[in-house]
Amino acid sequence: MKVAVIGCTHAGTAAVKNIATLYPEAEVTVYERNDNVSFLSCGIALYVGGVAKDANGLFYSSPQELASMGVSMKMKHEVLSIDTNEKRITAKNLETGEQIEDTFDKLVMTTGSWPIIPPIDGIKLNNIVLSKNFHHANNIIDKAKEAKKITVIGAGYIGVELVEAFEKYGAEVTLIDGEERILNKYLDREYTDLIEDEFRKRNVTLALNQTVTKFEGENGNVSKVITTKGEYEADLVILCVGFKPNTGLLKGQVDTLGNGAIVVNEYMQTSNPDVYAAGDSCAVKYNPTGEHMYIPLATNAVRMGTLVAKNLVKQSIRYMGTQGTSGLHIYDYSMASTGVTETSAKLLNVNVKSITITENNRPEFMPTYEPIMLKVTYEEETSRIVGAQIISKVDVTQAINTISVGIQKGLTIEELGFVDFFFQPHFNKPWNFLNQAGLQALA
């Protein structure tokens, strides 16, 4: 069995390791245009901020490790075309320029995503950089050493984490986003207000509800960012506008969403049963709505890549879908969310109600305790829980993993009130705060 794997970050690495283990007789070839595999891009801000001292620690595998498992690693090779009917690949060696042809029995598309680069006047000026891969991380570190005024465009997770890192680094930081508040895809306003206040306390400029129209430069380097509402001096600009699936190689050959994300079934097969896909190149089943959505997360990618291997020869283990569960740490706050928010529910046409509680993490007779703000969102007609958000200065983010399991299993808000949780004063109260949310929803 000849298996071709295109791309090798999270989903690709998981797929390759498991394929090599499960099918040692298989002839596995990986095509990767970079010189590395498995880079944790979510750690870029930690690297920039000096928390992760060595960027090499952000890798959890290597071409050498995969090659030692019997995999043919075609590093620095760009795939130019794929013919899924003829099961043929054309690729180019980026170092020598040589083109090669290859065939496959099974194709695994783990080509991931790529940052959205808006067509803005002046975007090709020096010191306007992306934040996605290992080389981007090193580029950011190098340029930040000399930068005094740094602008981050895009207030999602990566952008917000970079703002914190640059502020701690001592730079004058501006955060620009077209929405009226930060992190709007993940958290409702009562949560994002807290984080925005933390940034403002530290003199971060929040340029929200405005879009970039132009970059101006001096001597070929960016010097100013022009938006629909103002002008901001900058000697380094980081683009974090978002990501798009990198699926052009299969355009018109398999079913996709409108944005190009590949649609897969519960066994990771595309509309062509010999073509599998996983990770940020894919649309995934979103359990709160039951629809396919584009949710690029490393956690989804490693699960899907593993399932590709498990199902490569026969359908054996189903993908259970995702809630889009994610977490974030900014300054003293730990926060996490899963499923839909009240904001996203409106966009998804899901009729929801929410309960928000503020409760201390443990009994008040203990020497210290901290408030927790928890919001649980549930479908009004069925009481089925479809989302939750939490924030506190103590780390209670694992509670969101509990709610994620509940969403996956169809837990109702009433049932949440009576789920069995332990009590011990060092950790919580007799009624766990998750129980309390369910009980208050019944009141």
Side-chain angles (χ1 to χ4, degrees):
M1 177 174 64
K2 292 188 67 175
V3 183
V5 181
I6 316 300
C8 199
T9 307
H10 303 306
T13 301
V16 169
K17 281 189 171 184
N18 283 279
I19 291 170
T21 301
L22 291 172
Y23 319 108
E25 76 290 349
E27 183 182 330
V28 183
T29 303
V30 171
Y31 291 91
E32 171 56 58
R33 69 188 318 277
N34 292 299
D35 59 1
N36 58 77
V37 302
S38 79
F39 179 69
L40 288 164
S41 58
C42 52
I44 288 179
L46 296 174
Y47 181 38
V48 170
V51 177
K53 303 297 183 183
D54 182 6
N56 292 318
L58 299 178
F59 295 96
Y60 54 89
S61 186
S62 67
Q64 294 75 24
E65 181 191 12
L66 300 182
S68 73
M69 300 177 74
V71 177
S72 175
M73 300 297 295
K74 302 288 187 184
M75 305 303 296
K76 293 188 177 179
H77 278 68
E78 181 174 10
V79 175
L80 302 177
S81 65
I82 298 173
D83 186 328
T84 56
N85 290 324
E86 297 294 327
K87 295 189 173 182
R88 185 170 296 279
I89 293 171
T90 302
K92 179 181 180 180
N93 185 321
L94 296 177
E95 291 186 307
T96 66
E98 177 191 6
Q99 285 196 20
I100 60 173
E101 300 283 333
D102 198 3
T103 60
F104 59 85
D105 299 309
K106 303 282 186 178
L107 177 68
V108 179
M109 292 296 292
T110 46
T111 45
S113 60
W114 192 248
I116 295 170
I117 305 173
I120 301 170
D121 186 24
I123 201 166
K124 294 190 180 296
L125 287 165
N126 294 327
N127 298 335
I128 299 176
V129 301
L130 302 175
S131 179
K132 172 68 173 175
N133 60 31
F134 176 60
H135 299 294
H136 293 157
N138 286 323
N139 193 26
I140 291 170
I141 287 285
D142 183 59
K143 292 182 180 298
K145 292 175 182 177
E146 305 297 327
K148 300 290 188 273
K149 297 181 178 182
I150 302 176
T151 294
V152 177
I153 301 173
Y157 273 173
I158 293 177
V160 166
E161 287 179 314
L162 284 172
V163 167
E164 179 194 27
F166 289 135
E167 186 277 322
K168 287 181 175 180
Y169 200 70
E172 184 180 323
V173 188
T174 298
L175 176 60
I176 300 175
D177 196 272
E179 300 294 335
E180 62 181 9
R181 56 190 183 83
I182 67 172
L183 298 169
N184 73 302
K185 291 182 179 179
Y186 309 98
L187 300 165
D188 284 322
R189 182 178 294 278
E190 55 265 47
Y191 291 82
T192 58
D193 281 351
L194 292 174
I195 308 306
E196 288 178 13
D197 287 345
E198 290 295 311
F199 282 138
R200 291 190 178 101
K201 287 176 186 175
R202 293 164 173 81
N203 297 315
V204 172
T205 299
L206 298 180
L208 304 177
N209 200 24
Q210 52 193 286
T211 56
V212 177
T213 58
K214 184 180 181 181
F215 297 106
E216 293 184 354
E218 296 177 1
N219 302 318
N221 299 318
V222 69
S223 61
K224 189 179 292 186
V225 182
I226 313 297
T227 76
T228 50
K229 290 189 176 181
E231 300 182 358
Y232 305 92
E233 294 183 357
D235 43 25
L236 176 61
V237 174
I238 318 294
L239 293 177
C240 303
V241 177
F243 297 96
K244 60 182 179 181
N246 189 17
T247 59
L249 288 168
L250 289 187
K251 186 176 182 181
Q253 300 188 72
V254 296
D255 293 344
T256 63
L257 296 184
N259 69 344
I262 299 168
V263 176
V264 293
N265 65 13
E266 55 196 354
Y267 299 105
M268 301 297 101
Q269 292 169 299
T270 70
S271 52
N272 181 325
D274 286 330
V275 178
Y276 293 72
D280 288 6
S281 61
C282 288
V284 293
K285 181 188 174 187
Y286 186 51
N287 286 325
T289 64
E291 302 295 328
H292 274 82
M293 292 182 62
Y294 185 57
I295 305 174
L297 289 171
T299 49
N300 286 336
V302 294
R303 288 195 298 269
M304 296 171 77
T306 300
L307 286 171
V308 165
K310 300 292 186 183
N311 295 308
L312 195 64
V313 172
K314 67 175 183 177
Q315 296 180 343
S316 58
I317 302 178
R318 296 181 176 185
Y319 177 59
M320 293 187 289
T322 183
Q323 288 72 252
T325 309
S326 58
L328 185 66
H329 184 82
I330 296 291
Y331 296 116
D332 295 330
Y333 284 106
S334 295
M335 67 208 80
S337 67
T338 187
V340 302
T341 62
E342 282 191 328
T343 305
S344 65
K346 294 174 183 176
L347 299 174
L348 296 169
N349 294 316
V350 181
N351 191 23
V352 300
K353 295 178 71 174
S354 294
I355 184 75
T356 301
I357 68 167
T358 299
E359 179 57 88
N360 292 323
N361 69 309
R362 57 187 190 171
E364 287 73 17
F365 61 73
M366 296 297 287
T368 61
Y369 48 86
E370 288 286 347
I372 301 164
M373 183 165 64
L374 169 70
K375 184 174 188 177
V376 182
T377 302
Y378 54 98
E379 197 172 47
E380 187 168 9
E381 295 85 356
T382 65
S383 295
R384 179 176 64 94
I385 296 171
V386 293
Q389 303 157 68
I390 200 165
I391 192 167
S392 179
K393 290 185 178 180
V394 292
D395 184 6
V396 288
T397 53
Q398 287 298 323
I400 290 299
N401 280 333
T402 300
I403 296 290
S404 177
V405 174
I407 295 172
Q408 193 160 287
K409 294 299 183 182
L411 188 74
T412 67
I413 191 69
E414 292 89 353
E415 290 170 334
L416 180 63
F418 297 96
V419 171
D420 177 27
F421 298 116
F422 78 88
F423 162 58
Q424 212 288 333
H426 281 284
F427 306 110
N428 55 14
K429 291 186 171 185
W431 281 109
N432 186 281
F433 57 86
L434 294 177
N435 291 138
Q436 291 187 44
L439 293 172
Q440 289 192 34
L442 294 175

